[in-house]
């Protein structure tokens, strides 16, 4: 959904009648996650508006080329303050984006560091950007070309679960079924989320079935954009 930016929160009809993220999850209710890619300098205002209009689940990434993560932090905290909400009323999810998916002139971690250090540095930056001490979910934005490097990043993500910085971990843009199953089998802390582009004309049902069999959430993105033919009358 898209919301028009506002000059101040005072112009918004503030309501606290919406359920919090924990309440929604406890009741096993369906929900939408507010995506924050490509909003640039409008990110803060758009996230404010989303929260004021009931969104309690937010997705972002520490990938400056496509996401303004600091704007997400500003947006949700300002709206939360106006609504009298706390951090634990929200579900905040971000991603570690491997080096090959970053703008080489704007990488949010040391480009020459080992992969495990890149993950930790990226997450520490995310915590600062998002004005939080923990993440509900950390997602590997895409697998590496080799399973060895993918697992190296995953081990670093597991360590962040161990120390309480991250509550759950998952993977995105994973379109090779063997990569998903190998990661799952090799992981000490199993992925609980698969976030993939949903395009019905080439959808592989094995992925959805795998998430159901292993108590994982399947998060679909570009669901409407990629399937406009279903909307044509």
């Amino acid at each position: 959904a898209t919301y028009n930016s506002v000059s101040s929160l005072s112009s918004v009809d503030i309501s606290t009648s919406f359920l919090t993220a924990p309440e929604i999850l406890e009741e096993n209710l369906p929900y939408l996650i507010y995506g924050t890619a490509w909003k640039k300098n409008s990110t803060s205002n758009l996230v404010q508006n989303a929260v004021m209009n009931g969104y309690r689940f937010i997705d972002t990434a520490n990938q400056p080329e496509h996401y303004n993560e600091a704007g997400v932090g500003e947006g949700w905290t300002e709206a939360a303050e106006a609504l009298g909400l706390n951090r634990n009323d929200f579900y905040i999810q971000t991603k570690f984006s491997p080096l090959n998916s970053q703008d080489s002139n704007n990488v949010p971690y040391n480009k020459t560091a080992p992969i495990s250090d890149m993950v930790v540095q990226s997450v520490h930056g995310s915590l600062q950007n998002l004005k939080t001490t923990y993440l509900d979910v950390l997602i590997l934005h895409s697998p590496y070309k080799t399973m060895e490097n993918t697992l190296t990043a995953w081990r670093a993500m597991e360590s962040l679960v161990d120390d309480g910085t991250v509550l759950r971990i998952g993977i995105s843009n994973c379109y090779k079924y063997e990569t998903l199953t190998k990661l799952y089998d090799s992981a000490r802390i199993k992925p609980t989320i698969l976030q993939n582009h949903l395009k019905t004309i080439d959808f592989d049902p094995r992925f959805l079935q795998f998430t159901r069999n292993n108590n994982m959430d399947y998060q679909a993105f570009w669901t409407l954009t990629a399937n406009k033919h279903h909307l044509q009358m």
Side-chain angles (χ1 to χ4, degrees), residues 35-93:
T36 60
W38 310 306
K39 293 175 173 56
K40 300 185 183 295
N41 292 334
S42 298
T43 299
S44 179
N45 277 341
L46 291 171
V47 171
Q48 286 178 28
N49 282 347
V51 172
M52 302 303 288
N53 284 279
Y55 276 91
R56 298 294 179 261
F57 296 76
I58 300 171
D59 172 271
T60 187
N62 198 354
Q63 187 188 37
E65 183 178 10
H66 301 301
Y67 293 82
N68 179 355
E69 201 176 44
V72 175
E74 292 173 3
W76 86 259
T77 54
E78 291 187 21
E81 183 178 0
L83 291 170
L85 297 173
N86 300 313
R87 166 64 181 90
N88 59 9
D89 292 320
F90 292 86
Y91 168 110
I92 297 178
Q93 168 179 294

Side-chain angles (χ1 to χ4, degrees), residues 190-216:
K190 305 298 185 184
T192 61
I193 290 167
L194 173 64
Q195 184 190 78
N196 271 356
H197 179 197
L198 178 60
K199 192 173 183 180
T200 58
I201 60 173
D202 59 3
F203 180 72
D204 186 342
R206 293 181 299 169
F207 288 92
L208 180 58
Q209 190 60 53
F210 186 88
T211 61
R212 289 175 172 172
N213 292 345
N214 292 283
N215 196 30
M216 296 172 63

